[in-house]
Amino acid sequence: MKARHLRTPPFTDALPAPIWFRADELPADTAYPWHRHAWGEFVFAYSGLMELKLPDRHLLAPPQYGVWLPPQVEHVGLNRHAATHCSLYVSQPLCDTLPREACALTINPLVRALLEHLRRHAGAAPLTAAHERLLQVLVDQLALAPRAGSYLPGTEDPVLAPVLRALEAQPGDNRPLAELARAFHTTERTLLRRCRSELGLSFSEWRQRLRVVKALPRLQAGQKVEAVALELGYASASAFITMFKRLMGLTPDEFRKGGPAAR
């Protein structure tokens, strides 16, 4: 992605407080350059898809997840569509209970409510003792959150990667795995094995997650569910809705209208 808007990380040398929260509105095609910092950072998108590139992987997280970055992890933050996001910065001494590796964290209703409350009161001054306690509760809850890795893992495997890139370019491609294997001069068995070892997912699960990722910006842009379903290779809207609800916990219409899991 070639960003049209570049943002500068707000802090370079020190945080204003041991735990600091900030929210921001980002236009489409916005990116933060490669950077790292001495504190941890939890990043969450209130809508849409959160993307973070690390030197060795690309983390994607829809609205049920946030991304945790431990101190000193080099990364790029980007969004392809307009988004509201927040960052929770955690000083290094307070990171001991949080994951030591960058990962997606599953967001429960309490964490979501805390993030919504903090967004509504972002920028309020002065920082009160009650506000500091709330931030500590959020950190404690993130330490307990299930770790999900990347929602849509990728790979540089020379056999599997070309297949995944082709599907990312044409997510409505419905060719079965055996046919894709022949097209890319390999075998179905080889692709199945490499999906498990490289992605930790079955091929069918990865393809369904890809379609969810591709559906989110289309739904937020106001496209009809039927049109999105057909574009992503589904014969009917009902089949797409069933898949979407299984993976996202709500229907496409509920997501587009800002249902509980989408807010």
Side-chain angles (χ1 to χ4, degrees), residues 176-197:
L177 187 58
E179 188 175 336
L180 287 168
R182 288 192 296 271
F184 285 87
H185 312 293
T186 184
T187 67
E188 181 180 10
R189 185 175 179 180
T190 296
L191 290 180
L192 285 170
R193 186 175 64 250
R194 299 207 179 193
C195 279
R196 284 294 183 190
S197 63

Side-chain angles (χ1 to χ4, degrees), residues 75-110:
H75 60 281
V76 168
L78 55 97
N79 60 285
R80 301 172 194 274
H81 303 273
T84 301
H85 89 293
C86 69
S87 289
L88 180 75
Y89 302 104
V90 184
S91 60
Q92 192 278 329
L94 300 179
C95 290
D96 289 347
T97 60
L98 292 157
R100 297 185 181 277
E101 299 289 333
C103 62
L105 297 176
T106 305
I107 301 305
N108 65 28
L110 174 57

Side-chain angles (χ1 to χ4, degrees), residues 5-166:
H5 307 281
L6 292 176
R7 292 291 183 94
T8 302
F11 311 114
T12 55
D13 300 321
L15 294 175
I19 307 173
W20 189 262
F21 175 90
R22 63 180 287 268
D24 201 1
E25 301 277 348
L26 300 176
D29 299 328
T30 296
Y32 288 86
W34 283 102
H35 66 286
R36 67 175 74 204
H37 34 67
W39 46 85
E41 181 180 3
F42 172 74
V43 187
F44 177 76
Y46 292 95
S47 61
L49 191 71
M50 175 58 58
E51 297 189 54
L52 287 155
K53 286 186 178 181
L54 281 62
D56 60 343
R57 59 196 144 139
H58 188 178
L59 292 174
L60 291 164
Q64 311 102 308
Y65 302 91
V67 174
W68 167 249
L69 299 168
Q72 302 299 345
V73 171
E74 190 177 20
H75 60 281
V76 168
L78 55 97
N79 60 285
R80 301 172 194 274
H81 303 273
T84 301
H85 89 293
C86 69
S87 289
L88 180 75
Y89 302 104
V90 184
S91 60
Q92 192 278 329
L94 300 179
C95 290
D96 289 347
T97 60
L98 292 157
R100 297 185 181 277
E101 299 289 333
C103 62
L105 297 176
T106 305
I107 301 305
N108 65 28
L110 174 57
V111 170
R112 188 177 301 278
L114 289 171
L115 292 169
E116 287 285 1
H117 174 84
L118 289 166
R119 175 172 65 158
R120 289 195 300 269
H121 296 86
L127 194 62
T128 65
H131 186 79
E132 291 175 348
R133 289 194 296 270
L134 198 64
L135 292 174
Q136 184 61 61
V137 168
L138 180 54
V139 171
D140 293 341
Q141 286 296 310
L142 293 176
L144 299 173
R147 303 172 193 183
S150 175
Y151 183 76
L152 188 72
T155 179
E156 295 302 319
D157 179 84
V159 176
L160 183 57
V163 179
L164 301 187
R165 285 196 293 268

Side-chain angles (χ1 to χ4, degrees), residues 176-254:
L177 187 58
E179 188 175 336
L180 287 168
R182 288 192 296 271
F184 285 87
H185 312 293
T186 184
T187 67
E188 181 180 10
R189 185 175 179 180
T190 296
L191 290 180
L192 285 170
R193 186 175 64 250
R194 299 207 179 193
C195 279
R196 284 294 183 190
S197 63
E198 294 290 324
L199 307 176
L201 299 171
S202 69
F203 172 75
S204 60
E205 180 73 7
W206 187 91
R207 178 145 65 178
Q208 287 179 344
R209 290 190 182 197
L210 170 69
R211 288 172 171 176
V212 165
V213 165
K214 297 295 186 179
L216 294 178
R218 290 166 167 80
L219 293 170
Q220 288 189 308
Q223 289 188 29
K224 292 183 177 180
V225 173
E226 292 80 1
V228 175
L230 292 174
E231 188 177 351
L232 296 180
Y234 288 89
S236 67
S238 60
F240 168 68
I241 292 168
T242 298
M243 180 279 298
F244 191 94
K245 187 171 183 179
R246 181 179 70 82
L247 293 183
M248 292 288 288
L250 73 172
T251 67
D253 266 337
E254 289 170 341

